[in-house]
Amino acid sequence: MDITPGGSSGGDVASLLGVGPGRRADQLFYSVALVAGLFVLAILGLIAASTTHEAWPAFRSQGLSFVTSSTWIPAEGKFGALAFIYGTVLSSLLALLLAVPVSLGIALYANEAAPSRIRRPIIYVLDLLAAIPSVVYGLWGVIVLAPFLGPNVYSPINDAVGGWPVIGWFLNGSSGRSFMTAGIILAIMITPIVTSLSREVIATVPRAQREAAYAMGATRWEMIRLAVLPWGRGGIVGAIMLGLGRAMGETIAVALVIGSQAGQVTTHLFEAGDSMAAVIVNQFGEASGNHRAALVGLGVVLFVVTIIVNVSARSIVARFDRRAQGV
Amino acid sequence: MRSSLKSLALLVAVLAVFGVVAAACGGSTSDSDAKPDSTYDYASLSGTLNGSGATFPKAFYEEAIAGFAGVAKGVTVNYNGTGSGQGKKDLAAGTSDWAGTDSLVADADKATFKGPFLYFPTVAAPITVSFNLSGVKSLNLSAATLARIFTGSVTTWNDPAIAADNAGVTLPSTKITVAVRSDGSGTTSNFSKFLAAAAPEAFTLTAGDTVAWPSAQSAKGNAGVAQIVKATNGAIGYVDLSDAVASGLAFASIGNKDGKFVQPTLEGASAALAGATINADLTYSALNAAGADSYPITAGTYIIVYSSISNPTQASAIRGWINYVLTEGQTIAPEVDFAPLPTALRDKAIAQIASIQG
Amino acid sequence: MSDLFVSTESGELLLRDTTKRSRRIRNRLALIWMVGSVLVAVVPLALVIGYVVIKGVGQLTPDWFTKDLPAVTRRAGGGMGPAIVGTLLITAVAAAMAVPLGVLGAIYLHEYGGRGRLGRLIRFMADVMTGVPSIVMGLFVYTVWTIAHGLSAFGGALALACLMLPIIIRTTEEMLRLVPDELRQASYALGNRKWRTIVTVVLPAAFGGITSGVMLAIARAAGETAPLVFTIGAARNLNLSIFNGPTTALSVQIFGNAQTPFEAAQARAWGAALTLVALVFILTILARVVAARVARRHNA
């Protein structure tokens, strides 16, 4: 038995006290802690099992058309979720497009360029942004942002460039409640996460790298480009993917501003659509039978997709961590 | 810093305790001045009646609940606006005591109920076709044009079909945004049934509580549809009169069976009700009614309850509530833009109350 | 890069920036991008909080906290008492379930599991669980609890507890890691068993940090809507029962009222938003204050 009292397993020393009055208490405590830890596995397993079981009738009756067809007509028993999967992906990608430049800019500013007096207020502002519940963002989005954007931003853009090739494929439509508005709200919501994770990554860049760049006469931007970004690339990608996972799972804010229009598989960003999570929360209340199973099925698809994104993100970040520690 | 944190925490705790105590003692105030029906003993009733269902009559039921609370202090009535579809399901499952619905129970679903049930017509109202179009204050729409708009064949406001109904009016080229219901709705059922009856060649979809509208934004409840129309220039949607008036929307005049364009008013609704055939179970349809003054999209709504209720106190409470709706309620109805029932129908409904056993 | 040169005017030795102009421009543009990003982030925060405060503050009368929800939803009147109590009650029950489980789970991970296979698996799964969308938690609880037991505050609390659990496990484990091993060894040297060491030495030492993490998890849970929508139902009157009957919460009220066109209902939504944001901010700021005090004590 290892006697060295090192790290977190210092209990080896204590368990040298092989006999004695407190031994059963020790074992009991260990068991309780173990069970608590196993709860995580149990709950996760139960989530996967119960939702898949509930959704199975829908998967069986629809087969592959559940994810390849965009015809969702509950009254006729047709459940094709393609348009909703598309809406989730589109609004999340838009969110990334808007949030990543801003988040990176804030992270770099806070770590590299900001005077130390401004650094802490910036972090507070981000904390506050992260603390606002998503339903409040949704409320602001549906009452303030969407009615403003439709006539004042989307319509003029649509009138100006909607007919042009390529750019007109995207900047088309005029609805305040649309993929774009959902993307904007999501961008506001994921900025704090991407920023704080990027900041952690950027902070681990060794000073030696920075000083080497300066020693060669680099400007601050060149130092960032040559020393910080290449070093932190993996971690930043991981941070971005975590933001993507969060955006895909967001329900309430998107449900309020995306317009709830079925069947929309379109590149027109200013048109209304729907997302998986929004469909679930809007239709679940009065669904039954196969309709309910199909909605739980949407939840399963969402669950699987967000887990894949999150696990990939964490493995990228972990690989970056190992490299950063010189392993 | 520590002491100010402590006093902040103390303030929050005091507020919380105060809130819990006061809320337990308090209750909602009734601000209705309805005259009590002096011949009915409301005061002796007691119990809780949970209801759910259609949002079409929700504004009326809420007023009636508030008024009823004034005369029947022992009864609490709740109503959750979840849509006609969910209302019928809740009653069938036994999780509610009464259901509000604008559409009848489908034959296939009758077996899911725990026993026989009764329809009580309560009020009727026009389903408005509300629109929001800058520069256009009034609009005529024939049933065929309306069907084409909602099936997606007509996509811009200056389409020739709309122009044909509105001679002399300049219509902008704005894109039409169609607003419909996302939940199972009796309003949808009545609106789509009207289109199917009045414009069968143009309306190619299947009528019912849910319709597969091809390209429309959707929302929950009549209020949700009203919200889309109110917030979007170029929007058009079907909303019950009460919610449309409360939202300040503009209504289109719809071409009725006699070829006249009629505004959605209570008079138009009453004219449509006057000629409707009443079935034995007190259901009726006032859609696409004949008569020059009839508003063609007039819908009635019902309260459904089981005809046999196990708990006698509960049964009395239900009888009292329905009686209130059919007596005082009828005077309250026009105040919130609902048409009271024609006298003959109302008397038949009051007579049916005695059939609630328990 | 700069070098010395002789000024032609005064004859003094001066430093001059000899960096090429294009590089300087790019550097300046990058700075503009970075500062601009900060402003772009501040603007929506200011707008959202501004609207919430301005539109919501008029609702906060004493009636707001005590009265039941109004019978007629499109008219002003009544209050949000049942929703405020509902939010507090459901979040408290969720915390009562998630905090002990989370802290014990973190204790297992750090004090016993370490780098073993089971420990790594649990840690990995806890990370995965933080990414599960809250609506999936709501569907899960609906499937295993609400269908069998009906709508109740407890169902909502279960869903929120599932959301809070992984957050509490991770933050608690971080805090346990910060407790220096010397403390543990000193306790063993005095003859304490492991469980006593954990309970009487490690936990008190990590207490501030754990509290901070728990408060952040509670703040996050209090603002959640999706897990509550199908599990707690809707109620107009106060319902203090945890297991019986539907209830309501601030977040669900905001969601419902945001989907109506009526001024009075929307005003109630703004007021509820202000109440909820105030609650969440208070918890977040308290958590930060506690964390700062812990950090100060560590560095002192």
Side-chain angles (χ1 to χ4, degrees), chain A residues 73-76 142-143 146-147 151 174-177 258-262 264 271-272 274 281-288, chain B residues 82-83 85-86 89 175 177-178 182-185 206 210-220 224 227-228 231-233:
Chain A
I73 305 179
E76 293 173 22
V142 76
I143 295 189
S174 59
S175 174
R177 295 187 200 192
I258 201 168
S260 304
Q261 183 163 338
Q264 285 279 80
E271 279 189 20
D274 228 338
V281 84
N282 278 330
Q283 297 188 4
F284 199 78
E286 29 108 276
S288 61
Chain B
T82 51
Q86 184 64 20
K89 279 193 206 137
K175 183 165 165 299
T177 302
V178 178
S182 60
D183 44 341
S185 153
T206 319
T210 47
V211 175
W213 309 102
S215 54
Q217 293 188 19
S218 61
K220 270 201 188 191
Q227 193 194 24
I228 297 182
T232 317
N233 182 37

